[in-house]
Protein backbone atom coordinates (compact mmCIF):
# COMPACT_ATOMS: atom_id res chain seq x y z
CA UNK A 1 0.00 0.00 0.00
CA UNK A 2 2.79 2.45 0.88
CA UNK A 3 4.49 2.07 -2.48
CA UNK A 4 1.20 2.99 -4.14
CA UNK A 5 1.06 6.21 -2.15
CA UNK A 6 4.40 7.32 -3.53
CA UNK A 7 6.65 6.32 -0.64
CA UNK A 8 9.24 4.74 -2.93
CA UNK A 9 9.29 7.76 -5.26
CA UNK A 10 9.70 10.18 -2.37
CA UNK A 11 12.45 8.07 -0.83
CA UNK A 12 14.43 7.90 -4.07
CA UNK A 13 14.09 11.66 -4.60
CA UNK A 14 15.39 12.26 -1.07
CA UNK A 15 18.37 10.02 -1.79
CA UNK A 16 19.32 12.13 -4.80
CA UNK A 17 18.59 15.45 -3.12
CA UNK A 18 20.48 14.64 0.10
CA UNK A 19 23.14 12.38 -1.39
CA UNK A 20 25.85 13.75 0.94
CA UNK A 21 23.87 13.12 4.13
CA UNK A 22 24.66 9.73 5.65
CA UNK A 23 21.60 9.73 7.91
CA UNK A 24 19.22 10.38 5.03
CA UNK A 25 20.86 7.61 3.03
CA UNK A 26 20.74 5.21 5.96
CA UNK A 27 17.06 5.89 6.56
CA UNK A 28 16.26 5.69 2.87
CA UNK A 29 18.01 2.36 2.38
CA UNK A 30 16.21 1.00 5.44
CA UNK A 31 12.87 2.26 4.10
CA UNK A 32 13.45 0.79 0.66
CA UNK A 33 14.41 -2.55 2.16
CA UNK A 34 10.96 -2.65 3.73
CA UNK A 35 9.02 -1.19 0.79
CA UNK A 36 10.43 -3.46 -1.91
CA UNK A 37 8.00 -6.32 -1.48
CA UNK A 38 6.25 -6.77 -4.82
CA UNK A 39 6.68 -6.71 -8.57
CA UNK A 40 4.99 -3.30 -8.62
CA UNK A 41 7.53 -1.95 -6.12
CA UNK A 42 10.36 -3.42 -8.20
CA UNK A 43 9.05 -1.63 -11.29
CA UNK A 44 8.80 1.68 -9.44
CA UNK A 45 12.40 1.27 -8.25
CA UNK A 46 13.67 0.56 -11.76
CA UNK A 47 11.72 3.35 -13.47
CA UNK A 48 12.68 5.97 -10.86
CA UNK A 49 16.43 5.23 -10.74
CA UNK A 50 16.22 3.43 -7.42
CA UNK A 51 19.05 1.13 -8.44
CA UNK A 52 21.38 4.05 -9.06
CA UNK A 53 20.33 5.82 -5.85
CA UNK A 54 20.96 2.68 -3.80
CA UNK A 55 24.35 1.94 -5.36
CA UNK A 56 25.49 5.56 -5.00
CA UNK A 57 24.59 5.51 -1.30
CA UNK A 58 26.48 2.24 -0.83
CA UNK A 59 29.51 3.60 -2.66
CA UNK A 60 29.63 6.91 -0.80
CA UNK A 61 29.03 5.48 2.69
CA UNK A 62 30.99 2.24 2.67
CA UNK A 63 31.79 2.76 6.34
CA UNK A 64 28.10 2.43 7.32
CA UNK A 65 27.26 -1.26 7.56
CA UNK A 66 23.53 -0.55 7.86
CA UNK A 67 23.49 1.16 4.47
CA UNK A 68 25.44 -1.76 3.06
CA UNK A 69 23.16 -4.45 4.51
CA UNK A 70 19.94 -2.70 3.50
CA UNK A 71 21.33 -1.68 0.11
CA UNK A 72 22.32 -5.27 -0.64
CA UNK A 73 18.88 -6.45 0.46
CA UNK A 74 17.23 -4.01 -1.95
CA UNK A 75 19.53 -5.01 -4.82
CA UNK A 76 18.94 -8.72 -4.15
CA UNK A 77 15.19 -8.14 -4.30
CA UNK A 78 15.53 -6.18 -7.52
CA UNK A 79 17.85 -8.77 -9.10
CA UNK A 80 15.08 -11.33 -8.81
CA UNK A 81 13.20 -9.26 -11.41
CA UNK A 82 14.89 -10.74 -14.43
CA UNK A 83 17.80 -10.27 -16.79
CA UNK A 84 17.14 -6.63 -17.70
CA UNK A 85 17.15 -5.60 -14.05
CA UNK A 86 20.31 -7.62 -13.42
CA UNK A 87 22.05 -5.82 -16.27
CA UNK A 88 20.86 -2.48 -14.89
CA UNK A 89 22.32 -3.35 -11.48
CA UNK A 90 25.58 -4.57 -12.98
CA UNK A 91 25.94 -1.44 -15.11
CA UNK A 92 26.12 0.74 -11.97
CA UNK A 93 29.27 -0.99 -10.73
CA UNK A 94 27.34 -2.61 -7.89
CA UNK A 95 29.31 -5.87 -7.99
CA UNK A 96 32.59 -4.09 -7.31
CA UNK A 97 31.10 -2.20 -4.36
CA UNK A 98 29.37 -5.27 -2.95
CA UNK A 99 32.57 -7.33 -3.20
CA UNK A 100 34.43 -4.67 -1.19
CA UNK A 101 31.67 -4.47 1.39
CA UNK A 102 31.47 -8.23 1.90
CA UNK A 103 35.23 -8.24 2.56
CA UNK A 104 35.00 -5.19 4.82
CA UNK A 105 32.30 -6.64 7.10
CA UNK A 106 33.16 -10.36 7.40
CA UNK A 107 31.39 -10.72 10.75
CA UNK A 108 28.15 -8.90 9.93
CA UNK A 109 25.50 -11.50 9.16
CA UNK A 110 23.19 -9.11 7.29
CA UNK A 111 25.94 -7.77 5.03
CA UNK A 112 27.21 -11.28 4.34
CA UNK A 113 23.78 -12.79 3.64
CA UNK A 114 22.45 -9.93 1.52
CA UNK A 115 25.74 -9.22 -0.25
CA UNK A 116 26.41 -12.82 -1.24
CA UNK A 117 22.79 -13.14 -2.34
CA UNK A 118 23.22 -10.27 -4.82
CA UNK A 119 26.51 -11.69 -6.05
CA UNK A 120 24.87 -15.08 -6.55
CA UNK A 121 21.85 -13.65 -8.38
CA UNK A 122 24.05 -11.61 -10.71
CA UNK A 123 26.48 -14.44 -11.40
CA UNK A 124 24.09 -16.23 -13.73
CA UNK A 125 23.94 -13.45 -16.32
Amino acid sequence: VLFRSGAIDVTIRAMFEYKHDQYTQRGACAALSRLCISDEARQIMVVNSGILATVQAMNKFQDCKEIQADGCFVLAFLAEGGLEVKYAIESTGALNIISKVVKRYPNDDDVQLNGTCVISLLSDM
Side-chain angles (χ1 to χ4, degrees), residues 9-20:
D9 300 337
V10 169
T11 302
I12 293 168
R13 281 196 305 268
M15 292 176 82
F16 285 118
E17 188 169 337
Y18 301 100
K19 63 185 174 187
H20 300 293

Side-chain angles (χ1 to χ4, degrees), residues 66-80:
E66 293 84 5
I67 288 174
Q68 304 310 318
D70 287 335
C72 286
F73 181 91
V74 169
L75 294 175
F77 167 78
L78 294 172
E80 292 176 333

Side-chain angles (χ1 to χ4, degrees), residues 72 97-106 111-112 115-116 119:
C72 286
I97 295 164
I98 294 166
S99 295
K100 289 179 190 176
V101 167
V102 167
K103 290 176 188 171
R104 185 174 189 159
Y105 298 103
V111 170
Q112 292 300 309
T116 56
I119 292 168

